[in-house]
Amino acid sequence: MQVAVPVPLPQLFDYLPPAGEAPPAVGSRVLVPFGRRRLVGLVVSQDPASLEGALKPIEDVLDQGLLTPELVELARWCARYYLFPPGELVNLLLPTALRRSQPFRPAAPEAWRLTAAGLQADLERAPRQAELREQLLGAPRSREQLLEQGFRPELIRRMHQSGLIEASEQQPELRPEPGPALNDEQREAVVRLLAARRRFAAFVLAGVTGSGKTEVYLRAARALMGRRGQVLVIVPEIGLTPQLVRRFERRLGQRAWTYHSDLSEGERLACWQAARSGRARLIIGTRSAVFLPLKQAALIVVDEEHDSSLKQQDGARYHGRDVAVLRAQREQVPIVLGSATPALESLNNIDQGRYRLLRLRRRAGQAQEPRWRVLDQRGQTGPLSDALLGLIRKHLMAGGQVLLYRNRRGFAPVLMCKACGWSAECTRCSAHLTWHQVGERLQCHHCGAVQRPPRRCPECGDPGLVPLGAGTERLEALLNEQFPDTPVHRVDRDRLTGKHDFETLLETVRDGRPCILVGTQMLAKGHHLPGVTLAAVLDVDQGLFSADFRAPERLGQAIYQVAGRAGRADREGEFVLQTHHPEHLLLELLGRGDYLLFARQLLEERRAAALPPASGLALLRAESQQTEPARRFLRRAADILQGSGLNVSGPVPAIMTRRAGFWRYQLWVQSAERARLANVMAGQLSQLQALPEARRVRWHADMDPLDF
Ligand code: ADP
Ligand code: ZN
Ligand code: ZN
């Protein structure tokens, strides 16, 4: 039998069934001897991989058939396509608590109800028990509700042991709140989704923030989930979406189970079990939730489907959105990929007839589209042009809120010597150190290295070190100076470190009083900020001239996401771009205010250049402390891959050539057909692994890479 074992080797391992027993089913959790250790693995196939050698038997079957063969098969397909070691399957499919050798224990019941004995029992001498019974007359209550009302866990356990109460499979019913009447476009989207009930169909729901996409998910979810169906919602970052979670919960009248890495091991296990048993009807999670076992899926939603954090960047490098589509296909359920700015991959799939486009062109309710302006920054000295400062003043005076997007933390991206031009660089990365005035430190945003700033220039001894450029910290200071009577809120990872800081801030902002928000990407992600009337992107120029072929797409997405923040029901919004290149073609295209038009143009360019999504691309990345080992390995790998008919270029240096002390190189491996590319690559991995040059470097393959 073949077993996935959590070791970083590119193969499955062969074992015999436990002595004298029938072979455990695919999806069983087993304990196997591995070298001198015993490891928890998953049975992936009952066929032997090879017939040779003295195989060891499986030591113990911990859980027979814990996972369905379909789910195991999906994960296996991912390992092959995304070129990661099959041992990762154990991590993808089992929560941490089940990767240890303890047997799997079903979770504590979530809700309780009275038994007949409990109803009749004489509890005069047990007043607390009588009170608890009082609570359960009529309807079951969740454990949480009971604990909240001050009933202690021991009391519940005691009453359970004496048979007065029992676990209730039924969740206590919450009453779903009604939603607004849908507009025509929303209604059409819901109708088309419902027409795909109980079969696979993939939809891209494109509509600006506030156009009512979430409303469409909610309606479809309610209609499709029926009495037992489960709805899985995948979001890029759960920390940023507690509002979304509560909205789903209220509107579906179902407890929302969340699944993400901030949960404790026990919480993750509880969600995993509830998903598997079908008790969890509504699950909202990050990309790893795509591998949760589901008893009866009814609908999958991927929100903000263009977001690159849906792709895992280490270990198992899968794309959560793309795997979600495969999952929907295997579960035979519809899937909706929602975004204000769909990925070019998704648009390409629409053109190929694989996905269907649903559009919401108008903002829901009454909110209006913002007016666009491009502000020429040439000849301006500060990071905020006079024209922009004037606009900010105007909007604040009119009672509006202002949002400024600058994707750079810290005070200044560069600290430079005025006398000789020296600038502070990271000794381990090819990058400048960022100057943080708060905490007086120089920090590398790539490897995390922190150091005190030098008093004088280390090159020429001059004391005149000056910060160059402006990060969010400097903007905050400038804005405080310019607008002393207006609260300025900085939104970045330095300022908002606590779990709930961001949520608390958003609540403050939603009271609608004039304020200025200045921040990084955190601000650009679909939060509803109804009071914002002016939104601005301060640093478009970087994205115009990047070496990364995805940079224009990312820039466009950030810009439309930010633009989507401006404007509300009673007042027209304004959206501003600051640039030194107002004549740039991309800006002209962006300025037409239609993301899909812009994206289609980019897609044409990708097609002309045979770049993804028009062709398949895999990267082979290698890094080493000297440049030569990485390059030598990649040159050998290039020979092998070229020999099997793939289109190979490189080795070329990564955009960030050196990081944390390692030189980074890559090989671009392309083929017009993604499936063929993945197949050939998967077939060659063990040969690459066997190269003597491979031992001197860190390397991996990345299919459909997002970073260069
Ligand atoms: P999105 O997910 O596209 O950002 P939402 O579904 O969150 O949009 O809708 C934005 C706001 O508009 C929400 O406050 C929502 O309740 C409201 N809304 C959505 N659809 C309608 C509708 N048909 N009529 C009135 N209000 C609506
Ligand atoms: Zn100097
Ligand atoms: Zn560094």
Side-chain angles (χ1 to χ4, degrees), residues 404-451:
L404 305 176
Y405 172 82
R406 164 79 169 121
N407 202 16
R408 208 59 192 257
R409 301 180 284 130
F411 189 83
V414 181
L415 187 68
M416 198 178 90
C417 167
K418 265 208 297 207
C420 76
W422 170 89
S423 57
E425 280 178 22
C426 181
T427 53
R428 309 165 66 216
C429 304
S430 31
H432 282 111
L433 294 171
T434 301
W435 166 234
H436 289 253
Q437 202 159 59
V438 176
E440 302 234 334
R441 62 186 206 275
L442 283 167
Q443 190 185 20
C444 176
H445 286 181
H446 304 281
C447 71
V450 173
Q451 60 190 69

Side-chain angles (χ1 to χ4, degrees), residues 390-410:
L391 277 175
I392 296 176
R393 193 158 288 121
K394 186 184 95 183
H395 279 265
L396 292 174
M397 299 266 281
Q401 296 177 331
V402 173
L403 182 155
L404 305 176
Y405 172 82
R406 164 79 169 121
N407 202 16
R408 208 59 192 257
R409 301 180 284 130

Side-chain angles (χ1 to χ4, degrees), residues 417 419-422 457 459-462:
C417 167
C420 76
W422 170 89
C457 171
E459 283 290 313
C460 73
D462 194 276

Side-chain angles (χ1 to χ4, degrees), residues 179-201:
L182 298 182
N183 64 35
D184 291 348
E185 285 180 328
Q186 286 174 315
R187 196 169 317 118
E188 163 154 12
V190 172
V191 166
R192 290 183 59 193
L193 272 165
L194 298 190
R197 176 189 296 266
R198 292 210 197 99
R199 59 192 176 79
F200 167 70

